[in-house]
Amino acid sequence: MSALEGAIGRAGQPVGVAIVPVGKSEPLITAGDQTPMVAWSTIKVPLAVASERAGGQSAPQTRAIVESDNSAAESLWASIGSDTDAAAAVTAILREAGDTTTTVPSAQLRAGFTTFGQTTWPLAAAAAFTAHLPCMAGTEHVLALMGQVAGNQQWGVEAMAAPSSTAVKGGWGPGPFSGEVVRQIGLVTHSDGTMTAIAMATQGASLDSGVAAINVVAQQLDTMIRKLPRGRC
């Protein structure tokens, strides 16, 4: 998609995109920088699903998704069991949802940051997970929360005007050496009820520059929405 590549070129910093129709793992469209980056708060989605399966719906689940609250997400992690138990449970959700490669760590990889947030999550794997999420049992509540995110996540897919509805989870944090990684997974529902899963990531000087870069790409996706691959469960 040359128009998508053009938007990535205008974004002001490297951006990567992966797009998958819901209910499938292919056809996969990728564009831009596909360097695997840590998940940051986007991994709170499979974490929330795992915690709900272990103990039902909870207030921390809402805060972790809607507000991207780290303390709430830590509470969800602890509610599953030991670090080993929690890592295995969230990894199992990824496998169930079509991500065949990503493994959530059970030990803190970077001091001062959440264990789960340090999961390395390639965009293609994140898009495959997101494409299967609506088709899994017991994900309705998490998907509803993704459709109600607070202002700190109302960018990228969430700001697209053409879809009938959107559901997203953003994530951001320092890069491995400098700058800021900004990520998003999102679901677009089209007027006919079909859906498209989108994963985007960028690394640059700041959160603001990352959000701006992802918004440039999302605006292009908005204009070409009829061309996006789409599917049903």
Side-chain angles (χ1 to χ4, degrees):
M1 292 186 172
S2 58
L4 181 56
E5 294 283 3
I8 290 170
R10 298 191 303 272
Q13 62 185 56
V15 179
V17 184
I19 305 170
V20 180
V22 160
K24 304 177 183 179
S25 296
E26 297 178 350
L28 171 67
I29 295 171
T30 58
D33 184 7
Q34 299 296 309
T35 304
M37 301 180 189
V38 297
W40 290 123
S41 289
T42 57
I43 205 69
K44 290 173 183 173
V45 174
L47 171 58
V49 174
S51 71
E52 184 171 331
R53 288 191 176 178
Q57 296 179 15
S58 65
Q61 187 183 39
T62 299
R63 296 197 304 274
I65 300 298
V66 174
E67 301 168 20
S68 204
D69 184 280
N70 286 334
S71 295
E74 291 273 24
S75 177
L76 297 180
W77 180 262
S79 73
I80 298 172
S82 68
D83 287 343
T84 300
D85 292 339
V90 181
T91 299
I93 295 296
L94 295 177
R95 295 289 180 272
E96 183 180 342
D99 180 345
T100 61
T101 59
T102 304
T103 299
V104 179
S106 60
Q108 190 180 53
L109 300 179
R110 186 171 178 178
F113 299 98
T114 61
T115 297
F116 45 87
Q118 292 301 297
T119 305
T120 298
W121 206 6
L123 285 175
F129 162 83
T130 307
H132 285 80
L133 188 65
C135 309
M136 294 169 58
T139 60
E140 296 86 357
H141 180 59
V142 172
L143 286 166
L145 296 176
M146 291 171 66
Q148 304 168 29
V149 292
N152 62 353
Q153 299 175 81
Q154 292 178 4
W155 38 267
V157 170
E158 179 67 12
M160 291 172 64
S164 295
S165 64
T166 57
V168 304
K169 182 72 195 77
W172 55 90
F177 304 108
S178 63
E180 193 88 353
V181 171
V182 182
R183 299 185 62 135
Q184 186 183 65
I185 57 174
L187 286 162
V188 166
T189 300
H190 303 277
S191 58
D192 62 357
T194 58
M195 303 175 75
T196 302
I198 301 169
M200 293 190 279
T202 184
Q203 182 173 337
S206 66
L207 171 60
D208 287 345
S209 72
V211 168
I214 283 179
N215 279 340
V216 169
V217 177
Q219 288 163 9
Q220 179 61 48
L221 293 173
D222 209 29
T223 65
M224 55 191 290
I225 193 165
R226 294 183 182 276
K227 298 180 180 179
L228 298 182
R230 58 192 69 191
R232 301 178 187 270
C233 295

